[in-house]
Amino acid sequence: MPHIVFEDKKEIQFPKKVDDIEFIFEAVSKHESKILTKVGELEFLLSKKEKSSKDGRCLHILKSDKATRPSKAYVIKKALTAFVDTYGVEPTFSNINNLKDYTKQSNTYLKEIDYFTNDFNTTKEVWVEIGFGSGRHLLHQAKKNPDILIIGLEIHTPSIEQVLRQIELQEIENVLILNYDARLFLEFLNSNSVGKIFVHFPVPWEKKPHRRVYSKEFVDEALRVLALNGTLELRSDSKEYFDFSLGILTDLTQCHIEIDINKDLEISSKYEDRWKKLGKNIYDLTLTNNILSPSSQNESSFEFDSIDINGLQEKLPTKSLVKDDYFVHFEKLYTITANSVLVEVTFGSFNKPLSKFILIENSKARYLQGNPLITKANTKAHKTINEILKND
Ligand SMILES: C[S@@+](CC[C@H](N)C(=O)[O-])C[C@H]1O[C@@H](n2cnc3c(N)ncnc32)[C@H](O)[C@@H]1O
């Protein structure tokens, strides 16, 4: 991680702008501050923390703040270099000189979640594969069904890189890959828009069942996005996972369930080969959707009411607010001026908590780096945050 260590000898003034780099303000809390920085159009925070030194000097470490960190290390290097030049600080340590202007090559088939919230639009039938691992099944289905668009979800980066290489080598064009938690992804798809969802050999999480892909909420979302006669297909070697999933499905009325043991598929995955060699049973649980779902109401407002920052610190709950399907935790308040503060807050879904900064200036508030993704959990959490922050 690019960072510098320097002795804080002189007062540092804000704002300062040099070329396309701007240091806008410093927001201060105990032992730590955040510097709002802009490189071109990109807005992020630099984090400045006290660092103990053996000879009693007042040293500070300056690096990119984790929650707002730009994806390209080069941008952080540029900001740190400009900080050194602009304020004339003399680093006692720096690891920014050997960073190259490396901008990761974009890949047509690798998408960010924003693509699915803003731009995703297709006339093709969509299938989704969750946790594709080595990608054998995903690639097989994509080649066999060129008219289908297959979205592959995975959270293991080496598997994603390996499958992206195969997509290129095999010249497959009907696949989109996303590094995102499958438990939360279906929320971004339109109702009745998916033909098949494959969940093959999900991690059984025997000791932590709450981490399983299958849950009542997941199955409800799957039923909403599945088209009429669309299927949700579980294949697993874990009898416990199979029983657990069956337990969720048997309460449902709008679908048909089919169970198989040791069914042969056209393609066998790495995991399947391993379990077959060990002579283990393989269970299939297929749910077919029988109803049309109403379109999802994912409209959301992330606006804030007017906020009085006087006494705000005392108003912020010190404990996490935990509800059934979301939480809010106020981390820290940073002071900028008499009229402005920065509030660090973690919130949203338990499976994918979001860390954001809220900038409040002259009673008006906004999320730094834009609004949160529109999800049910984020929308509910925002309402709670606004209720706490707003004027009584
Ligand atoms: C046991 S492997 C099975 C891989 C592949 N489906 C197969 O049959 O060989 C489970 C895969 O699911 C991925 N995974 C686990 N939890 C996930 C989640 N919440 N969202 C997306 N992928 C997940 C893991 O990274 C892993 O690659």
Side-chain angles (χ1 to χ4, degrees), residues 129-135 153-156 159 180-183 199-205 211 213 269-272:
E129 173 148 357
I130 289 174
F132 54 74
S134 64
L153 299 170
E154 184 46 75
I155 51 173
H156 182 238
S159 299
Y180 203 75
D181 191 323
R183 292 171 297 174
V199 187
H200 286 184
F201 300 94
V203 182
W205 291 114
R211 297 190 67 174
V213 169
S269 83
K270 250 187 177 172
Y271 278 84
E272 186 163 345

Side-chain angles (χ1 to χ4, degrees), residues 210-275:
H210 64 280
R211 297 190 67 174
R212 290 175 177 162
V213 169
Y214 267 64
S215 66
K216 169 87 175 67
E217 294 72 32
F218 170 79
V219 172
D220 284 347
E221 273 306 281
L223 279 171
R224 183 187 63 77
V225 301
L226 281 175
L228 212 54
N229 299 321
T231 53
L232 169 63
E233 303 183 14
L234 171 71
R235 189 164 172 83
S236 175
D237 59 290
S238 161
K239 179 77 165 58
E240 191 181 327
Y241 200 108
F242 170 81
D243 287 340
F244 168 83
S245 307
L246 187 59
I248 297 169
L249 302 194
T250 38
D251 287 341
L252 302 168
T253 49
Q254 73 261 46
C255 54
H256 170 80
I257 297 168
E258 216 175 284
I259 293 168
D260 277 293
I261 293 192
N262 298 327
K263 180 169 82 173
D264 270 331
L265 296 189
E266 288 168 358
I267 186 89
S268 173
S269 83
K270 250 187 177 172
Y271 278 84
E272 186 163 345
D273 285 350
R274 189 188 298 169
W275 303 135

Side-chain angles (χ1 to χ4, degrees), residues 190-208:
N190 288 337
S191 299
N192 316 303
S193 65
V194 176
K196 286 177 195 276
I197 304 172
F198 304 103
V199 187
H200 286 184
F201 300 94
V203 182
W205 291 114
E206 265 143 28
K207 297 211 172 95
K208 294 181 182 167

Side-chain angles (χ1 to χ4, degrees), residues 149-370:
L149 176 67
I150 308 189
I151 302 172
L153 299 170
E154 184 46 75
I155 51 173
H156 182 238
T157 312
S159 299
I160 292 178
E161 284 168 358
Q162 183 189 330
V163 168
L164 285 171
R165 269 195 301 278
Q166 284 305 319
I167 290 172
E168 229 163 80
L169 281 173
Q170 300 185 38
E171 299 181 350
I172 294 171
E173 292 182 343
N174 54 330
V175 167
L176 296 176
I177 299 293
L178 175 67
N179 183 341
Y180 203 75
D181 191 323
R183 292 171 297 174
L184 305 163
F185 173 69
L186 298 183
E187 220 184 300
F188 300 109
L189 295 179
N190 288 337
S191 299
N192 316 303
S193 65
V194 176
K196 286 177 195 276
I197 304 172
F198 304 103
V199 187
H200 286 184
F201 300 94
V203 182
W205 291 114
E206 265 143 28
K207 297 211 172 95
K208 294 181 182 167
H210 64 280
R211 297 190 67 174
R212 290 175 177 162
V213 169
Y214 267 64
S215 66
K216 169 87 175 67
E217 294 72 32
F218 170 79
V219 172
D220 284 347
E221 273 306 281
L223 279 171
R224 183 187 63 77
V225 301
L226 281 175
L228 212 54
N229 299 321
T231 53
L232 169 63
E233 303 183 14
L234 171 71
R235 189 164 172 83
S236 175
D237 59 290
S238 161
K239 179 77 165 58
E240 191 181 327
Y241 200 108
F242 170 81
D243 287 340
F244 168 83
S245 307
L246 187 59
I248 297 169
L249 302 194
T250 38
D251 287 341
L252 302 168
T253 49
Q254 73 261 46
C255 54
H256 170 80
I257 297 168
E258 216 175 284
I259 293 168
D260 277 293
I261 293 192
N262 298 327
K263 180 169 82 173
D264 270 331
L265 296 189
E266 288 168 358
I267 186 89
S268 173
S269 83
K270 250 187 177 172
Y271 278 84
E272 186 163 345
D273 285 350
R274 189 188 298 169
W275 303 135
K276 276 184 181 159
K277 258 188 212 155
L278 294 174
K280 279 184 101 178
N281 283 330
I282 292 174
Y283 305 91
D284 280 279
L285 178 56
T286 306
L287 169 155
T288 306
N289 173 40
N290 290 338
I291 58 154
L292 274 177
S293 300
S295 57
S296 58
Q297 303 278 309
N298 260 0
E299 286 304 306
S300 187
S301 155
F302 289 106
E303 308 246 304
F304 288 96
D305 289 309
S306 171
I307 297 168
D308 180 3
I309 62 167
N310 290 315
L312 191 57
Q313 177 74 74
E314 290 69 42
K315 260 171 65 174
L316 298 184
T318 48
K319 286 195 178 145
S320 302
L321 301 164
V322 180
K323 306 286 176 185
D324 282 349
D325 46 359
Y326 73 95
F327 77 99
V328 171
H329 180 75
F330 286 93
E331 306 280 351
K332 227 181 229 186
L333 184 136
Y334 299 80
T335 305
I336 306 166
T337 65
N339 302 322
S340 54
V341 292
L342 198 58
V343 178
E344 186 177 2
V345 60
T346 307
F347 60 93
S349 131
F350 303 104
N351 295 334
K352 203 170 177 67
L354 181 64
S355 286
K356 293 287 275 179
F357 286 87
I358 300 165
L359 174 60
I360 308 171
E361 284 176 307
N362 301 320
S363 308
K364 284 198 178 126
R366 70 169 174 99
Y367 287 102
L368 278 192
Q369 296 187 321

